[in-house]
Amino acid sequence: MIWLTWRQHRKQALFTAIALALLAALLIPTGLRMHHALDDSGLADCLSELGPAELVANNDCQKLSTQFSNQFSAMPFVSVLFVMLPLLVGLFFGAPLIAREVEHGTHRFVWTQGVSRRQWALAKFGLIGAATTLLAVGYALGVSWWAEPLATMGNGRFTYIIFDVQGIAPIGYTLFAVALGIFAGTVWRKVVPAMAVTLGGFLVVRLGIELLARMHYMAPRTLTYAVTGNLQPNPARSNWVAAMGVRDAGGKLVLSGSQTGCPPVGAKAAPGMPDADACLNQMGLGRRAYNWQRYQPGDRFWTFQWIETGIFVALAALLVLLAVRRISRVA
């Protein structure tokens, strides 16, 4: 079975090796540029000096962060390609695994050679699963290193797309995509329909979990800080901000989707600028107004990674089990 499986998938293995070489040719030079820019600009040291506090008096890193983001503004779009890698593995390794055999009729020959359908399925699934796991671990390590500097933007490592290409989550996505392709092949039994179902099913599940479930893996926290003052959230914390706004003294949300700030009460205003009371009056706020955020702490990154990976590995195991059961019904 090992030799037969290798014979059937050696072209896919060759194309995969070529794709990995091309991926490395993109990752290494651009990754080195971003890592060097992060260090040389002083942004890495600046964020490190902010420490672990939730609020900081002065965010001197904002200008450096903006410069870094502008310099590598195209890189988040490149990372979309890496998000699609697990899906491609599912399309070209998982979907044809059963569907191609049935579509070409070769399954009848294989299953009459003294190897039961279940033995054949377990051998094929095990070998392909092991190979794709090694593949996923390899590119997860490489892309995690590449995307690390991009975590200084937005919601840090929790930023959409950045979370999806870092850590161990890509391994779970890959196993799920392959298992979904295998299961689709046992139901539709032709390669193209199986690939179409794999594509649609993967996108629906991935987007559903990312947009609807991920924020609720753990109860979010709330952060508040005065409108009048120089305290602001610490960007080094890499918190995932789900909602923000400004609330009045009674807790009513008077401004949604943004934060604001006025000079400290009693402080001398800069020339041409309003003092604290004038600033608050312009926005219709009182002295006790405060900024509000609902967020997931950045130090929950690995907890969320394990939770999400566990979900997709469990889904993959269920799909493989269903695929093994369905093989007994294939004529």
Side-chain angles (χ1 to χ4, degrees):
M1 284 300 301
I2 296 176
W3 177 84
L4 178 60
T5 302
W6 164 250
R7 290 275 297 179
Q8 288 181 313
H9 297 282
R10 58 186 178 179
K11 287 186 177 180
Q12 289 169 301
L14 175 61
F15 293 147
T16 300
I18 295 173
L20 287 176
L22 294 174
L23 180 63
L26 172 63
L27 284 177
I28 294 174
T30 56
L32 288 173
R33 279 185 58 213
M34 289 193 293
H35 278 271
H36 289 159
L38 186 66
D39 294 333
D40 295 342
S41 67
L43 178 56
D45 291 335
C46 183
L47 292 172
S48 178
E49 291 172 359
L50 291 177
E54 287 285 2
L55 297 171
V56 292
N58 292 292
N59 182 7
D60 297 328
C61 305
Q62 183 61 48
K63 182 178 179 180
L64 295 175
S65 180
T66 301
Q67 291 174 347
F68 181 84
S69 300
N70 292 338
Q71 183 178 357
F72 296 102
S73 59
M75 291 298 106
F77 297 100
V78 175
S79 62
V80 175
L81 168 65
F82 304 141
V83 173
M84 302 305 294
L85 289 177
L87 174 59
L88 295 177
V89 175
L91 289 174
F92 294 103
F93 278 86
L97 194 64
I98 303 298
R100 182 171 56 190
E101 295 274 10
V102 177
E103 186 174 8
H104 294 169
T106 54
H107 66 293
R108 298 188 183 92
F109 173 77
V110 174
W111 293 342
T112 58
Q113 301 302 305
V115 178
S116 70
R117 297 185 181 200
R118 180 160 296 187
Q119 288 176 318
W120 175 86
L122 293 177
K124 295 267 288 188
F125 296 174
L127 289 170
I128 295 299
T132 53
T133 300
L134 290 175
L135 173 65
V137 169
Y139 72 67
L141 289 173
V143 178
S144 292
W145 167 82
W146 178 87
E148 185 178 347
L150 299 180
T152 60
M153 308 179 190
N155 288 314
R157 291 185 296 177
F158 274 113
T159 301
Y160 290 122
I161 297 180
I162 300 302
F163 180 92
D164 304 327
V165 299
Q166 286 199 298
I168 59 174
I171 301 172
Y173 303 152
T174 302
L175 293 176
F176 169 70
V178 172
L180 179 60
I182 291 172
F183 175 71
T186 65
V187 177
W188 281 269
R189 304 179 187 179
K190 290 188 177 182
V191 174
V192 174
M195 293 177 74
V197 172
T198 302
L199 172 63
F202 182 85
L203 293 177
V204 168
V205 174
R206 280 279 287 108
L207 291 175
I209 289 178
E210 179 169 338
L211 299 178
L212 302 178
R214 185 182 296 168
M215 173 54 72
H216 305 289
Y217 291 162
M218 298 177 70
R221 293 180 182 174
T222 300
L223 176 68
T224 61
Y225 58 101
V227 169
T228 54
N230 56 6
L231 291 179
Q232 54 188 301
N234 184 355
R237 295 277 299 175
S238 296
N239 294 333
W240 178 15
V241 179
M244 65 172 66
V246 179
R247 295 183 181 271
D248 62 19
K252 180 182 178 182
L253 188 66
V254 295
L255 179 64
S256 178
S258 63
Q259 312 273 255
T260 190
C262 289
V265 175
K268 184 178 180 179
M273 300 296 293
D275 60 14
D277 290 321
C279 176
L280 290 169
N281 289 333
Q282 287 176 2
M283 293 184 288
L285 301 173
R287 285 191 175 185
R288 295 174 60 192
Y290 59 91
N291 290 299
W292 166 86
Q293 290 185 358
R294 185 171 70 246
Y295 71 101
Q296 291 289 354
D299 56 14
R300 290 180 177 178
F301 172 80
W302 281 107
T303 302
F304 275 52
Q305 282 275 315
W306 281 106
I307 292 172
E308 188 146 319
T309 302
I311 291 172
F312 280 94
V313 170
L315 290 174
L318 176 62
L319 288 168
V320 169
L321 177 62
L322 293 174
V324 172
R325 292 171 63 96
R326 284 198 59 84
I327 283 176
S328 61
R329 305 178 187 178
V330 178

